[in-house]
Amino acid sequence: MDTIPDVPLKPEPPEVLDAFYRMFREFFDRGERKRRWSLETDIPWDRCNRSLNPAIADVVQTFCAVELYLPDYLGKLIGQVRANRGRAWLLATWGYEESKHSMALEDWLLKSGMRSDEQVADMHAEVFSHEWHLPYDNARGMLIYTVFQELATRIHYVRLADAVRREGGCPALEKVLSLIAIDEAAHADFFRRLAAVYLEYDREGTLEQMRRVVNTFRMPAVHMLTDGMQRAKQVQELNVFSEEIFMQEVYEPVVARLGVAKSELRRKARREISTPSPGA
Ligand SMILES: [Fe+2]
Ligand SMILES: [Fe+2]
């Protein structure tokens, strides 16, 4: 875990905590109106393409496994923000939405015949044999991490849906992926708006966390799976994600939307940090 911030973080003043809760309520109310979907009725389960390229099912299983770490994500993140109602309630809502993602992907693996009940049980056992740990030791760093991770996740689902269409299509899986991608886009957008508030009231502290995240970013959990390397390779082979896609479709747009110059994200030279300049 990356620890000990070089720049101390200013705690959220009461007006920022109030603003977060108001922002959360707007996010929640809008989600209730426009974005709720049903695993039972919104997916054409009778239209699974049972002869889809098995490589697609492998990647679906990888994404399902990453979503299955939800108890670790939620359990550890919520403790960091328990006195911040906007962020804590957001995590509760986020957790509900994320829980549907793993269920939808798992249902597709079973209903398409791509995986048996036994294989799915093995996947669960494997996921919970390793515990996910927070990559950053403070709630601000984790928020910044989540901004990049949620947008990256959205791109993974959108590009996987493109791959499904290239491979002959599957109406059920395409619908699952499109519903999940819409949720992930809403998450990325909302976490980014929270990050903008932090940048406004504590630019230096927040930039330091951003520097740390952009220099060490990696997607959660894939590397923890037994065959993680192989799974990451399959994602690249289907052209679903790569370092280049991260830079162009995640890093550049997030940094631009937050109004942060790339020069602000360069790590300061060690000397600059540790040696006071003469006369300082
Ligand atoms: Fe998700
Ligand atoms: Fe998400």
Side-chain angles (χ1 to χ4, degrees), residues 183-196:
D183 283 352
E184 306 294 12
H187 298 165
D189 179 72
F190 188 69
F191 284 109
R192 181 182 48 72
R193 289 194 294 118
L194 294 182

Side-chain angles (χ1 to χ4, degrees), residues 67 94 97-98 101 146 149-151 153-154 157 180 183-188 191:
E67 297 272 4
W94 172 87
E97 296 185 11
E98 297 293 354
H101 300 172
T146 309
Q149 174 266 312
E150 290 286 341
L151 184 56
T153 303
R154 169 173 198 264
Y157 285 116
I180 297 179
D183 283 352
E184 306 294 12
H187 298 165
F191 284 109

Side-chain angles (χ1 to χ4, degrees), residues 139-154:
R140 188 95 50 98
M142 284 311 303
L143 174 77
I144 303 288
Y145 173 74
T146 309
V147 175
F148 289 99
Q149 174 266 312
E150 290 286 341
L151 184 56
T153 303
R154 169 173 198 264

Side-chain angles (χ1 to χ4, degrees), residues 216-228:
T216 55
F217 181 86
R218 64 175 173 177
M219 290 300 282
V222 177
H223 60 280
M224 291 162 56
L225 303 170
T226 316
D227 48 358

Side-chain angles (χ1 to χ4, degrees), residues 61-79:
Q61 180 175 339
T62 302
F63 293 176
C64 184
V66 172
E67 297 272 4
L68 277 172
Y69 278 95
L70 182 63
D72 286 345
Y73 303 144
L74 209 46
K76 293 175 191 207
L77 288 165
I78 213 155

